Amino acid sequence: GGAWTLEVQVSDEGVAYRYLVPGTGRRRVEGEATAFAVPEDALLWAMTNTANYEGEYRGKRRAAEIEAERQRENGSTHDVHLGMPLTMELADGTYAAITEANILGYSGATLDARGTNVFPVVFEDDRGGFTVEGDLATPWRVVMTGPTLDDLVNCGIVPAVCPPPDAELFPEGIETAWLKPGRSGWQWWAFGSDGTEWSRQKELVDGFAELGAEYYLVDDGWEQPHRGWFDESGSPWPRMKELVEHAREKGVGIWVWRAWREYPEHQHPGLETPEKREAFFAKCAEVGVVGAKIDFMDAESHDILAFYEDCLRRAAKHRVMVNFHGAYKPAGEARTWPNEMTREGIRGLEQNRWTTLPRMHYAALPFTRLLAGHGDFTPTTFKADFAKGTTFACQLATAVVYTSPILCWADEPRVYMESPAAAWIRAMPAVWDETRVLEPSAIGEVAVFARRSGEAWWLGVINGEEGRTIEVDLSFLGGGDGAGWTLASVSDVAGEHPEMRVEGARAFDPSAPLKIELEAGGGFVGRIERAP
């Protein structure tokens, strides 16, 4: 019965709206009467793992089909909730996606699939409600739109409606000096938890330094006494400082892993109290650790979101960058807290250690989950046993197409250095100045991205289930102007999964379409530069 405000922001890229409900004191939120009615003939791409957003994106289903399909698969009648973004291919050939922004301080929402074209908003991790203080401002409910996939991928609404960063913590905003994107190695993909043995660390740092990586991540296990990190003082931190100093001489910064809460059975100390968080980030700063990977939250409840924000605030105070794993989808947090350099919340390449990522999933991610923001997919294996239905060219292309300002490579350094694409790994940018999605991109079928870093353009192509030959129009580069261009490439070898063909720079005229032959699960990476 009280007064409230509906606040709306509209642009050519879509619409964002939220509810403002004034008040004082502690107030209970038990739900929200919001629902999205999508066109009945729209084809939807959705994901149903709303704990940590590590589900497969499946597509080209109408709204009414989603609930029945999931219940047939699960053999039950439990609720079917969809994680956002929910991407739509509309009947007129245009696109849209539903997501949310600026959710810190509230609770993360999912969409309830009920066998109709209407999807109510539900707070799946706070089904009993949650408490807020004073004036209530909900997250922004966002509908991204665009006539092409290029418009959808380049939509900037999600960060635009989030608050700017604190000027005291980040005096230059995203350009604050200690916020440094870059490429990272880690050991978990190659060796599992055994990779954190102290005896291996300096060798791994040296290997990634040789590949030109700016960072090395020490993952799960370094705080377990049997891994060799503990000295006579009974702490792993002195050896961490020793590793930091060794890595610094090689031009490499060190990141460390920590679970969000204590797991005594795994000897994980945790970060579940403010005191633990403060002590951890202070210790990172003391020994020179530049980044922290925080894992296993697996929720976006009101209380867990408070944990995320407190981590980011305390980490920023100590000038520590953050990578969240076991996390929900991004909702623009990196604009307010630019020390969040990346997060998981994505079904990434680690899955190929124990199962197989569908080829369609690779080609769907740029137009589904990655619309919400950065994703730590941990890309690019050159191990045949782990490529699992994809080619090495496809694996390399994921590092170009998937956005992650901390680009954490999957394999051990030896595998990259012994590959014919070692020079490509050394040269790969972690951030991009411009992105264009090109024809014939189609969700789940093929993703064709041109991304510029400085004066060089990189072309990344990820192919889905069916082999195909495509022609890519690069005429926007300008051809026939006398200056000329060169093209170096990594491509599929016909009939030879997962091998790749690496070719050096050759003369290239962008005024003619570039013909690319793609294997099923194949790919292509090109580097296009002005001729000398």
Side-chain angles (χ1 to χ4, degrees):
W4 57 279
T5 300
L6 177 66
E7 183 177 3
V8 184
Q9 295 199 40
V10 182
S11 77
D12 290 344
E13 297 179 330
V15 177
Y17 66 95
R18 65 177 178 176
Y19 310 105
L20 305 176
V21 186
T24 59
R26 292 171 61 83
R27 313 174 72 196
R28 192 74 179 165
V29 178
E30 296 183 350
E32 184 175 312
T34 294
F36 290 93
V38 306
E40 293 184 358
D41 55 0
L43 299 176
L44 308 185
W45 289 81
M47 186 276 304
T48 58
N49 179 345
T50 53
N52 54 28
Y53 282 74
E54 294 180 29
E56 296 173 9
Y57 273 90
R58 307 180 181 194
K60 294 209 168 178
R61 295 170 295 167
R62 288 178 168 78
E65 300 169 349
I66 293 176
E67 180 191 33
E69 179 179 325
R70 292 298 294 164
Q71 290 183 356
R72 281 196 304 272
E73 291 179 0
N74 295 327
S76 68
T77 57
H78 64 75
D79 294 343
V80 176
H81 291 160
L82 308 180
M84 294 184 273
L86 171 66
T87 302
M88 293 175 275
E89 300 180 51
L90 305 177
D92 64 357
T94 64
Y95 299 89
I98 299 169
T99 192
E100 60 179 343
N102 194 28
I103 71 174
L104 294 178
Y106 211 70
S107 182
T110 58
L111 300 175
D112 191 0
R114 298 185 173 183
T116 71
N117 68 314
V118 177
F119 297 97
V121 164
V122 294
F123 301 112
E124 188 176 358
D125 291 332
D126 281 309
R127 296 191 182 199
F130 55 94
T131 300
V132 297
E133 292 278 352
D135 291 336
L136 185 154
T138 72
W140 292 92
R141 308 299 171 211
V142 176
V143 180
M144 308 163 72
T145 64
T148 69
L149 289 173
D150 181 58
D151 296 296
L152 202 62
V153 166
N154 283 294
C155 178
I157 290 180
V158 170
V161 296
C162 293
D166 184 317
E168 291 188 9
L169 291 172
F170 307 101
E172 303 299 326
I174 194 175
E175 301 294 338
T176 297
W178 56 273
L179 303 174
K180 296 180 180 178
R183 297 153 300 157
S184 179
W186 68 330
Q187 82 295 330
W188 187 86
W189 164 269
F191 304 110
S193 294
D194 291 343
T196 49
E197 294 286 347
W198 167 250
S199 60
R200 287 178 164 171
Q201 300 312 299
K202 292 181 181 179
E203 180 183 354
L204 286 166
V205 166
D206 294 349
F208 284 112
E210 188 175 340
L211 285 164
E214 290 83 3
Y215 299 111
Y216 170 66
L217 164 66
V218 184
D219 209 81
D220 179 9
W222 70 278
E223 292 181 284
Q224 297 172 343
H226 64 284
R227 299 293 181 193
W229 287 75
F230 284 63
D231 66 1
E232 60 277 3
S233 71
S235 169
W237 286 102
R239 288 214 164 108
M240 180 60 73
K241 183 176 181 180
E242 181 182 336
L243 183 66
V244 166
E245 291 172 351
H246 173 82
R248 187 180 292 130
E249 293 176 357
K250 305 285 184 175
V252 174
I254 295 295
W255 286 62
V256 299
W257 182 96
R258 175 69 75 90
W260 89 272
R261 68 175 178 86
E262 185 176 3
Y263 291 87
E265 66 275 22
H266 298 297
Q267 299 167 309
H268 294 156
L271 293 168
E272 67 272 23
T273 67
E275 294 77 17
K276 283 187 175 183
R277 295 193 283 274
E278 182 63 27
F280 173 72
F281 290 119
K283 199 67 178 178
C284 286
E286 178 188 329
V287 304
V289 165
V290 299
K293 175 181 174 180
I294 303 171
D295 208 346
F296 295 150
M297 289 75 68
D298 292 342
E300 51 185 334
S301 66
H302 180 73
D303 290 344
I304 290 293
L305 293 184
F307 167 82
Y308 275 88
E309 188 165 21
D310 192 56
C311 280
L312 290 165
R313 180 179 291 105
R314 293 177 189 274
K317 183 177 72 171
H318 293 288
R319 299 190 172 189
V320 175
M321 297 177 283
V322 176
N323 174 3
F324 288 117
H325 268 233
Y328 65 95
K329 84 283 183 188
E333 296 86 353
R335 185 192 181 199
T336 308
W337 299 100
N339 58 323
E340 183 188 305
M341 304 301 287
T342 191
R343 70 168 61 192
E344 192 180 28
I346 192 170
R347 191 172 184 84
L349 191 60
E350 67 174 9
Q351 299 288 330
N352 275 8
R353 286 179 60 89
W354 52 79
T355 184
T356 300
L357 288 175
R359 294 163 173 167
M360 178 175 65
H361 181 73
Y362 287 93
L365 284 176
F367 312 114
T368 51
R369 156 62 179 86
L370 289 162
L371 295 178
H374 48 218
D376 190 10
F377 184 83
T378 59
T380 309
T381 179
F382 290 155
K383 293 180 179 176
D385 290 346
F386 288 134
K388 291 189 175 179
T390 63
T391 68
F392 291 153
C394 175
Q395 288 292 324
L396 186 62
T398 60
V400 177
V401 175
Y402 301 162
T403 297
S404 184
I406 293 297
L407 186 60
C408 193
W409 297 97
D411 270 328
E412 59 187 292
R414 173 190 59 83
V415 172
Y416 294 131
M417 288 188 287
E418 292 176 358
S419 78
W424 292 78
I425 300 292
R426 291 188 179 96
M428 184 75 69
V431 293
W432 304 94
D433 299 317
E434 184 178 353
T435 296
R436 297 190 183 212
V437 182
L438 306 178
E439 296 289 347
S441 292
I443 304 173
E445 297 178 24
V446 62
V448 185
F449 275 55
R451 310 195 81 170
R452 181 176 61 80
S453 174
E455 298 299 317
W457 283 89
W458 291 63
L459 183 63
V461 182
I462 296 172
N463 192 35
E465 298 291 344
E466 304 294 334
R468 70 188 78 225
T469 299
I470 63 172
E471 291 189 349
V472 180
D473 182 0
L474 295 166
S475 59
F476 68 89
L477 296 172
D481 57 5
W485 295 83
T486 64
L487 169 68
S489 64
V490 178
S491 58
D492 295 336
V493 178
E496 295 290 337
H497 267 66
E499 297 303 319
M500 58 182 159
R501 177 183 293 107
V502 179
E503 297 183 90
R506 59 192 184 275
F508 172 66
D509 182 359
S511 65
L514 177 63
K515 185 177 180 180
I516 302 173
E517 295 182 358
L518 298 165
E519 295 287 290
F524 179 89
V525 176
R527 188 169 64 243
I528 305 169
E529 298 176 283
R530 285 284 186 181

